[in-house]
Amino acid sequence: MSNYHVPQTFSGLGGGVVHSWCFIHRSASDLFYVSPVPDIFDCVFDELVAQTAGVRGAGAVQAWSRVESAACARRLAAMATMLDDAHAADGSASRDQWCLDNWDAVSAHIAAAGRLTSGVASNLLLVAVALRERFPKVQALFADGLITYALVRAIVARAANVTDPDALHALDTALAEALVGWGPMSVAKTEQHIDAIVAQVDPLAVRRTQTRARDRSLNVHVEDGSGLAAVFGSLFTPDAIAFDTRLNALADTVCPADPRTKDQRRADAMGALSHGADRLACLCGTEDCDAAQNPPSTGVIIHLIAHHDTTTGTGGLPADPNGTPTLDTTPDPDVPPDPDPTADPDAEECAALDGVAPTMFTRPLHELTLTEALTPERGALSTIRPAAMMGGRFLPGPLLRRAALGATITAIVHPGHAPPEPRYTPSKTLADFVRCRDLTCRFPGCHEPATHCDLDHTIPWPCGPTQASNLKAVCRKHHLLKTFWGGPTGWQDRQHRNGTIDWIAPDGQTYRTTPGSRLLFPELCAPTAPVTTTGPVPPAHTSGLRMPRRKATRAEDRARRIHDERELNRAATEPEPDPPF
């Protein structure tokens, strides 16, 4: 293999000329790929930052955007280097067949370091590797800050089906010549321009739009914090008509006094359909309405957080002769009576979910200041304590009230300094507490709901006890990462009594995660009993365990998908044969 330097010149963003140095590798297959020379590019980046520091106004916006792109290029290059290091480690070849392979392990490390989800980190790593191995000239432009990450990502995605080395080299050259001359474009326009260049070098590699039937989907977008989600998609016509009819039928299972509109009832009917209910819960509130008095079981489980003192004894209430707590209803003369004892102070908030008439101003509008006109009425802000869903999503209090109709209520009791349980599998009471305390997987950047996670012993059983201070929710993927990529040179974890976890990465960096309930329900994070180990902790606990294996490696799966799409394109572009008559 021979290596040499070559200068390249590109038009800059402001019409100027930018010179950059690239490192050209000539391999045995006579294919060229270009990678930045680290020392030279660091000098170029430092010079770019120094030149930008004195710029002001619109020029500063443009210059710092270029610095941002150049920094992003180096960030991606560092990710690709991490993958190289993983492949160079002992036993790396066999790990590509693991269920959690080298790629997953590196993605998890990138996610922890960048405070990202594993999915986002994996996509970044895919772009990084594709840039280095497939588009070296585009990478050089990116390293100079002349193109953005969004454009680079679009190129990697739209040209994923190009497999011929000569076509790939021609595509890289054509893109590098065309990119710097492009102005601002929408996403669709950008994809069209990239597809046009891809079609010139390899017509079978164009990412063609699938037929509408194959492209059908149903998407759910959850708006964190609002308690609402958007659902949109496309179905086969017979299924859509049946779905529409079913929603109308469920919306009509309430009495005429229900305060919701037809559209609101259809939206709620979708939730009832998802929970397997055969009717809606009527919100009329009247005693003679069967639908209001007997709400359907929704399958929703609400974990009610309660302190140990609340669920033991009588809680300070006097008891009747049978031991049942009673409540003294004698009015206190020092406390003024409620003007409306039967009124629910939170009823108006819950009714506002379905729409209430706005409160009229007490004075003419022209007599009010702007602050008075915009200030909500006293009590208009929520007084109902909010909730959190498994997965950490915030749920406003009034929506929790609505979700409680037909739900199962389970009390969550803080274990305090309770002793460890004498078994490997925690009891339901302890498991419910740990999941409600954590809400999500406790690995950095992971948001998998705790209900879908394993309960992991931080100090392995039987040396580590089964108690709250030694248990945490970890999704299966990151559980495997800790088990098989752990040990003295891999991932390690330490757990504090308040549920805080310190994750030590293979490179020695520490990443701390706190329980998901810490903000809304800090009482769940009160320290639990300290952990006492029984005997020395083994350095590794994988004896007798085997990592689940893939049927095909990640590279084989990607090659198969590309081949299948190219074959579909071939069938779509070949002319139909002449009829035999």
Side-chain angles (χ1 to χ4, degrees):
M1 176 179 289
S2 59
N3 304 320
Y4 54 91
H5 295 81
V6 59
Q8 294 189 348
T9 303
F10 302 102
S11 298
L13 289 178
V17 176
V18 178
H19 299 276
S20 66
W21 283 87
C22 294
F23 198 45
I24 309 294
H25 306 265
R26 184 178 178 88
S27 63
S29 60
D30 287 337
L31 295 179
F32 289 89
Y33 64 97
V34 188
S35 62
V37 182
D39 294 338
I40 295 177
F41 267 65
D42 286 343
C43 295
V44 172
F45 184 75
D46 293 341
E47 182 180 353
L48 186 62
V49 174
Q51 292 175 353
T52 304
V55 183
R56 298 178 60 84
V61 174
Q62 184 183 36
W64 283 115
S65 296
R66 181 179 169 186
V67 171
E68 180 183 16
S69 295
C72 184
R74 285 152 180 79
R75 179 191 185 202
L76 294 183
M79 294 178 184
T81 302
M82 291 178 64
L83 185 62
D84 290 341
D85 294 342
H87 284 150
D90 293 338
S92 171
S94 63
R95 293 188 184 122
D96 276 339
Q97 202 73 36
W98 283 8
C99 177
L100 194 142
D101 58 1
N102 292 287
W103 187 282
D104 281 328
V106 173
S107 297
H109 199 167
I110 292 172
R115 296 187 177 183
L116 308 168
T117 65
S118 293
V120 171
S122 181
N123 287 333
L124 288 170
L125 185 59
L126 177 64
V127 175
V129 173
L131 269 180
R132 187 185 61 182
E133 297 181 356
R134 294 166 59 84
F135 304 103
K137 294 184 179 180
V138 173
Q139 184 187 38
L141 287 176
F142 191 31
D144 276 338
L146 301 179
I147 55 178
T148 64
Y149 171 73
L151 184 55
V152 167
R153 182 179 58 184
I155 291 171
V156 171
R158 304 306 295 180
N161 291 343
V162 180
T163 56
D164 181 71
D166 293 333
L168 194 58
H169 178 70
L171 177 62
D172 185 31
T173 302
L175 285 170
E177 293 174 353
L179 286 177
V180 290
W182 290 1
M185 290 184 291
S186 65
V187 174
K189 275 289 186 181
T190 301
E191 292 179 349
Q192 290 175 8
H193 279 61
I194 297 172
D195 288 346
I197 299 177
V198 171
Q200 293 175 7
V201 300
D202 189 352
L204 296 183
V206 176
R207 303 298 297 270
R208 303 183 187 278
T209 303
Q210 304 293 329
T211 62
R212 296 195 66 183
R214 289 208 310 269
D215 202 35
R216 66 187 183 277
S217 63
L218 192 66
N219 302 295
V220 178
H221 174 68
V222 178
E223 300 175 4
D224 194 13
S226 68
L228 298 176
V231 181
F232 52 93
S234 55
L235 309 173
F236 286 129
T237 299
D239 296 337
I241 294 175
F243 178 67
D244 186 63
T245 303
R246 179 65 172 155
L247 289 185
N248 284 331
L250 283 173
D252 293 337
T253 56
V254 298
C255 77
D258 187 280
R260 291 168 290 184
T261 65
K262 181 65 174 290
D263 287 340
Q264 291 171 347
R265 283 185 280 124
R266 277 173 55 89
D268 294 348
M270 194 167 181
L273 191 64
S274 302
H275 291 300
D278 59 350
R279 64 190 187 278
L280 287 182
C282 188
L283 303 181
C284 66
T286 58
E287 297 182 357
D288 57 348
C289 177
D290 293 336
Q293 301 303 319
N294 299 292
S297 176
T298 61
V300 174
I301 299 177
I302 295 179
H303 294 94
L304 179 65
I305 298 174
H307 192 270
H308 181 72
D309 296 340
T310 307
T311 56
T312 57
T314 64
L317 297 178
D320 63 10
N322 297 324
T324 303
T326 60
L327 181 64
D328 185 6
T329 57
T330 304
D332 189 341
D334 297 330
V335 177
D338 191 331
D340 186 5
T342 63
D344 182 359
D346 301 326
E348 186 174 346
E349 281 187 47
C350 297
L353 297 176
D354 305 310
V356 294
T359 304
M360 299 298 293
F361 290 120
T362 56
R363 288 183 292 161
L365 187 59
H366 67 273
E367 295 181 4
L368 297 175
T369 64
L370 181 61
T371 301
E372 292 174 326
L374 296 179
T375 300
E377 184 183 359
R378 181 181 177 86
L381 300 179
S382 181
T383 58
I384 307 176
R385 187 175 181 180
M389 300 179 65
M390 284 295 179
R393 292 190 177 95
F394 173 80
L395 189 66
L399 291 186
L400 171 64
R401 287 282 188 94
R402 181 66 56 84
L405 296 174
T408 301
I409 309 296
T410 300
I412 300 299
V413 180
H414 191 284
H417 291 271
E421 297 182 347
R423 53 186 173 272
Y424 172 77
T425 303
S427 64
K428 183 179 183 302
T429 301
L430 180 57
D432 285 345
F433 167 78
V434 172
R435 288 193 165 97
C436 288
R437 180 196 66 191
D438 293 347
L439 292 182
T440 66
C441 170
R442 296 301 306 280
F443 191 82
C446 186
H447 302 288
E448 186 71 17
T451 48
H452 302 161
C453 293
D454 301 331
L455 293 184
D456 172 54
H457 288 74
T458 300
I459 302 175
W461 168 274
C463 300
T466 300
Q467 65 183 94
S469 297
N470 194 46
L471 288 174
K472 62 182 178 298
V474 184
C475 70
R476 182 60 54 87
K477 177 179 179 180
H478 292 120
H479 197 172
L480 292 174
L481 179 72
K482 174 196 169 183
T483 302
F484 292 94
W485 294 83
T489 60
W491 284 94
Q492 302 177 55
D493 54 345
R494 293 194 299 261
Q495 183 167 348
H496 301 269
R497 293 172 56 195
N498 63 355
T500 299
I501 309 291
D502 289 331
W503 294 88
I504 299 90
D507 60 0
Q509 293 291 327
T510 299
Y511 306 99
R512 172 167 290 189
T513 64
T514 55
S517 63
R518 182 173 60 93
L519 295 179
L520 286 180
F521 308 107
E523 55 266 41
L524 292 181
C525 300
T528 51
V531 173
T532 302
T533 58
T534 56
V537 180
H541 59 286
T542 57
S543 177
L545 302 177
R546 294 186 61 185
M547 168 74 85
R549 301 183 71 83
R550 297 170 175 265
K551 295 181 179 179
T553 65
R554 188 181 298 269
E556 291 170 343
D557 284 339
R558 185 176 296 125
R560 176 184 52 79
R561 290 195 299 269
I562 291 175
H563 174 269
D564 291 346
E565 189 165 353
R566 288 179 65 89
E567 290 301 310
L568 286 174
N569 290 342
R570 188 188 307 278
T573 55
E574 288 181 349
E576 296 184 3
D578 296 331
F581 49 84

